[in-house]
């Protein structure tokens, strides 16, 4: 294995692990400190967006170019107001009503939704591999939601709702900005997307009273979510695709739900039964097969 390939695999692995662990930090803020998901989402988007846009500026990028063409400007607004905002808020809302591993796994259904979008756009039927992956993903979701008992839900309906909506938002997040990212680069586009989402979320947050405990642990967990779980994780993942294939990086991203499960066990002593773990395995296998294809 070459040094560059080893560097790419390591970057993708660390980035995915940081993404997974940031959900745990979010769980501390939402459940342990009583912070509303609306305000946590707003602050995360605002601070992370500012950091990324400033980073693009200091990297000598033209941070204003994406706003100059009407079509690109519309893509950016849709990306920020729907994809970015939905991905961040729905994920935290799912954590609030369940836990970080469950929310992460449900969000991980995103590639399956992209399959259907791709088939619709290309006017074709799903291949046998795509259908198999879809069946695995649906079965995995059902096992997580019911713990093998299909007569009732093992997680709250709200957790399932926000988790599935998070996956849909993440699919929009992944598909909409592709063309403008190729033109203007990821840091600038994602940074502006976060700032747009923060404006919308800020208006929504005005109708939600701010509650929660503000102490050293709160600021530490929030700092971890922004710096390690957003900016650094994003940078490492982008760095990885310079040395390995994007499909390989997507497979390695399976470390995200795995790390979330491990950290949840270590910090909160969260345990999953046989059927939940089988469901998690089904979803990870489905996503890995999609990425491999």
């Amino acid at each position: 294995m070459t040094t560059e390939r080893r560097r790419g695999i390591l970057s993708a692995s660390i980035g995915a692990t940081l993404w997974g662990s940031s959900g745990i930090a979010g769980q501390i803020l939402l459940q342990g400190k009583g912070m509303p998901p609306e305000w946590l989402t707003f602050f995360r988007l605002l601070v992370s967006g500012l950091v990324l846009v400033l980073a693009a500026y200091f990297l000598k990028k033209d941070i204003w170019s994406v706003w100059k063409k009407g079509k690109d400007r519309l893509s950016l607004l849709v990306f920020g107001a729907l994809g970015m905002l939905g991905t961040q808020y729905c994920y935290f809302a799912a954590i609030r009503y369940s836990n970080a591993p469950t929310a992460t796994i449900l969000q991980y259904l995103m590639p399956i939704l992209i399959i259907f979008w791709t088939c619709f756009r290309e006017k074709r039927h799903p291949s046998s591999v795509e259908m198999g992956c879809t069946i695995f993903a649906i079965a995995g979701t059902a096992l997580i939601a019911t713990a093998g008992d299909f007569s009732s839900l093992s997680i709250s309906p709200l957790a399932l709702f926000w988790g599935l909506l998070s996956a849909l938002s993440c699919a929009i997040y992944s598909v909409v900005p592709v063309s403008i990212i190729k033109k203007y680069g990821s840091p600038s586009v994602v940074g502006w997307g976060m700032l747009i989402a923060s404006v919308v979320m800020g208006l929504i947050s005005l109708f939600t009273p701010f509650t929660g405990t503000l102490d050293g642990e709160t600021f530490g967990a929030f700092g971890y979510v922004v710096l390690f779980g957003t900016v650094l994780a994003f940078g490492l993942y982008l760095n990885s695709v310079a040395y390995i294939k994007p499909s390989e990086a997507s497979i390695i991203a399976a470390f995200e739900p795995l790390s979330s499960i491990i950290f949840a066990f270590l910090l909160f002593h969260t345990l999953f039964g046989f059927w939940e773990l089988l469901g998690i395995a089904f979803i990870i296998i489905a996503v890995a097969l999609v990425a491999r294809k």
Side-chain angles (χ1 to χ4, degrees), residues 102 105-110 112 133-148 150 153-155 159-161 163-164 167 275-276 278-284 286:
T102 300
I105 291 295
L106 291 174
Q107 190 179 66
Y108 214 58
L109 291 167
M110 171 267 295
I112 308 302
C133 292
T134 302
I135 292 171
F136 262 93
I138 293 173
T141 305
L143 288 173
I144 292 171
T146 64
F150 293 99
L153 290 176
S154 66
I155 62 174
L160 184 61
F161 170 78
L164 294 177
W275 294 111
E276 289 97 330
L278 182 62
I280 289 169
F282 276 5
I283 292 175
I284 292 176

Side-chain angles (χ1 to χ4, degrees), residues 160-212:
L160 184 61
F161 170 78
W162 287 115
L164 294 177
L165 196 58
S166 171
L168 176 60
S169 301
C170 203
I172 297 172
Y173 167 94
S174 302
V175 171
V176 170
V178 169
S179 60
I180 55 176
I181 283 177
K182 288 179 179 179
K183 286 183 183 179
Y184 308 108
S186 295
S188 178
V189 171
V190 176
W192 279 120
M194 287 181 170
L195 289 177
I196 292 168
S198 73
V199 172
V200 179
M201 194 72 249
L203 296 174
I204 296 172
S205 298
L206 292 176
F207 298 95
T208 304
F210 182 86
T211 58

Side-chain angles (χ1 to χ4, degrees), residues 53-114:
V53 169
L54 288 174
Y57 175 79
F58 286 114
L59 289 172
K60 308 300 182 182
K61 304 291 185 181
D62 184 359
I63 61 174
W64 303 106
S65 56
V66 69
W67 291 100
K68 294 178 180 178
K69 294 183 179 179
K71 184 178 179 181
D72 295 339
R73 188 162 57 244
L74 178 61
S75 295
L76 183 62
L77 290 170
V78 172
F79 166 60
L82 294 180
M84 179 66 74
L85 177 59
T87 298
Q88 300 291 332
Y89 176 72
C90 296
Y91 175 65
F92 280 139
I95 290 177
R96 183 184 187 184
Y97 293 109
S98 58
N99 52 59
T102 300
T104 303
I105 291 295
L106 291 174
Q107 190 179 66
Y108 214 58
L109 291 167
M110 171 267 295
I112 308 302
L113 299 178
I114 293 179

